[in-house]
Amino acid sequence: MPPAETLTPERILEVTEDVLRRYGPAKATVVDVARALGVSHGSVYRHFRTKTALREAVTQRWLDRTSTRLQAVVTEDGPAPERLSRWVRELFTAKQHKADDDPELFATYMTLVGESGGVVEQHVADLTGQLAAIILDGIEQGAFAPGDSATLARAVFDATGRFHDPCYAAEWSRPGIEEALGAVVELVLRGLRS
Amino acid sequence: MPPAETLTPERILEVTEDVLRRYGPAKATVVDVARALGVSHGSVYRHFRTKTALREAVTQRWLDRTSTRLQAVVTEDGPAPERLSRWVRELFTAKQHKADDDPELFATYMTLVGESGGVVEQHVADLTGQLAAIILDGIEQGAFAPGDSATLARAVFDATGRFHDPCYAAEWSRPGIEEALGAVVELVLRGLRS
């Protein structure tokens, strides 16, 4: 096991995720994390001052994995309508995988997300900010009608909630969900264009 | 108390709702319903053959209250875009009231809804059918672009989920929700028009 000096926040968060997966969010403690790292719990607290701070950081890291992945679609060149469509579809695919590939970890993070309202708000702000950037590009390209990109971004985010909001996770593997997503994206794109 | 002969299905369902409110969905039994009606449980079973049938019927009655109220917006004359906007807003208001005015009954019905998938499917089919009728009117009036009204109706229903799906009930009283609804309705109407 590595000595305490090599402890990085990222290493602590990695192990915290493992501990959460193993013990569940109700039972996992900072002492469990420290033990799994082979360090004292004081070493963990040096990086994350409270258990709440640690749980929020690991939740944010989990949510950031999605927004980081989508950032590429925001910054690349190309027609905004096509990028907006791809952004929504990639968000859906990312969430689908999170829910399907490791359902227990997904349930764990759903509990953590419920505890840390601020982290979720930041995540939604990150995502709608990405959407606003694509929409602004589209307005500048003349592909979308002029409008307030922040308001439009929030409307697009809300209108596609069925395909990224965890409360719909049970529906993401149902037949017909891709067609339903396609119909909403088309309607939204037509709305932005007109 | 009225004698068994005057028992109507509607009277049984009325009392069932009272019993569910009083005892909660986990504890309420057909015997409780019969007792509240002053009849034998056999009299109740003559109208609803199982406890499940009774619970499904009372759930459907609760959901139908919303769709019946909205039907007026479907059948009246007038420009389809304005009616579609009003239909979505009235659906939101109806759901908001159900959640706010009697939170315990709302929670009770959320449990029942979770038990009876078929009843919910029928409710969603009723609502998207109403939307499809308005959209078809709009296409005939030349206000909406030609398209498959059923597919478009489902897309509009999905796109407005934040404002009628019970999983968002906690957000329905937050500041800004009316503006968020307005932005989605405007985007959707623009999409239908184009």
Side-chain angles (χ1 to χ4, degrees), chain A residues 145-146 151-152 154-163 165 167-168 180 183-184 187-188 190-194, chain B residues 145-146 151-152 154-163 165 167-168 180 183-184 187-188 190-194:
Chain A
T151 305
L152 290 167
R154 184 67 213 203
V156 172
F157 188 75
D158 286 350
T160 52
R162 180 170 213 92
F163 311 100
D165 199 300
C167 76
Y168 291 107
V184 169
L187 183 64
V188 159
R190 279 167 53 182
L192 290 172
R193 279 191 191 112
S194 72
Chain B
T151 305
L152 290 167
R154 183 68 213 202
V156 172
F157 188 76
D158 285 351
T160 52
R162 178 170 215 91
F163 311 100
D165 199 300
C167 78
Y168 291 107
V184 169
L187 183 64
V188 159
R190 279 166 55 180
L192 289 172
R193 280 193 189 112
S194 71

Side-chain angles (χ1 to χ4, degrees), chain A residues 7 27-28 48-49 60 66 80 87 91 104-105 114-115 122 126 132-133 152 159 161 163 170 174 178 184 188-189 194:
Chain A
L7 259 192
K27 288 189 184 162
F48 299 97
R49 300 188 60 175
Q60 195 184 326
T66 302
W87 187 92
L91 175 59
E104 279 176 26
L105 190 66
E115 289 170 5
Q122 186 54 54
D126 289 346
L152 290 167
F163 311 100
R174 285 200 199 149
E178 296 283 350
V184 169
V188 159
L189 281 178
S194 72

